[in-house]
Amino acid sequence: MPKYLIEATYTAEGLSGLMKDAASGRRQSIAASIEGLGGKLDSLYLALGERDMIGVVDLPDSVSAAAFALTVSASGLARTKTTALLTIEEADRAIQKDVTYHPPGKVG
């Protein structure tokens, strides 16, 4: 199942909700949402810096990842950034693919 890195930044109101629910409450809610999409929460961390929460999830496909991200962002309490992750084996298969490509301004 594909893995995705999901980074979230809370609004002030979202942070107030986090304080009310506690981090463990948010983990439980997020895990339930991901499981409802047919996936699994792999890991979840609160972070110091530009992002407030970072998680790695397994989801069936990009449509499911987009559905989660859109739903979270539509709440108005957090913004998300989702990145598809590749395993080392998937990266090796990508490296081995023969791709015909001509960079801009270069005639092939």
Side-chain angles (χ1 to χ4, degrees):
M1 190 174 303
K3 286 196 181 287
Y4 298 88
L5 172 69
I6 300 177
E7 301 170 86
T9 304
Y10 285 110
T11 64
E13 188 179 352
L15 287 170
S16 292
L18 171 66
M19 300 290 288
K20 181 179 176 185
D21 291 351
S24 57
R26 294 311 313 142
R27 179 182 58 213
Q28 185 177 20
S29 176
I30 292 165
S33 293
I34 296 297
E35 289 166 11
L37 290 166
K40 178 181 175 274
L41 177 63
D42 184 274
S43 59
L44 186 67
Y45 298 92
L46 263 69
L48 303 176
E50 187 177 340
R51 305 285 184 235
D52 296 314
M53 192 169 279
I54 297 173
V56 175
V57 301
D58 297 315
L59 283 165
D61 50 43
S62 296
V63 172
S64 299
F68 180 76
L70 289 167
T71 300
V72 171
S73 293
S75 75
L77 301 178
R79 298 289 300 163
T80 62
K81 176 183 175 189
T82 304
T83 304
L85 301 174
L86 298 173
T87 65
I88 297 302
E89 294 77 18
E90 289 169 329
D92 281 346
R93 288 198 309 268
I95 290 168
Q96 294 169 359
K97 290 242 180 216
D98 185 26
V99 178
T100 301
Y101 173 72
H102 302 287
K106 306 276 184 174
V107 176

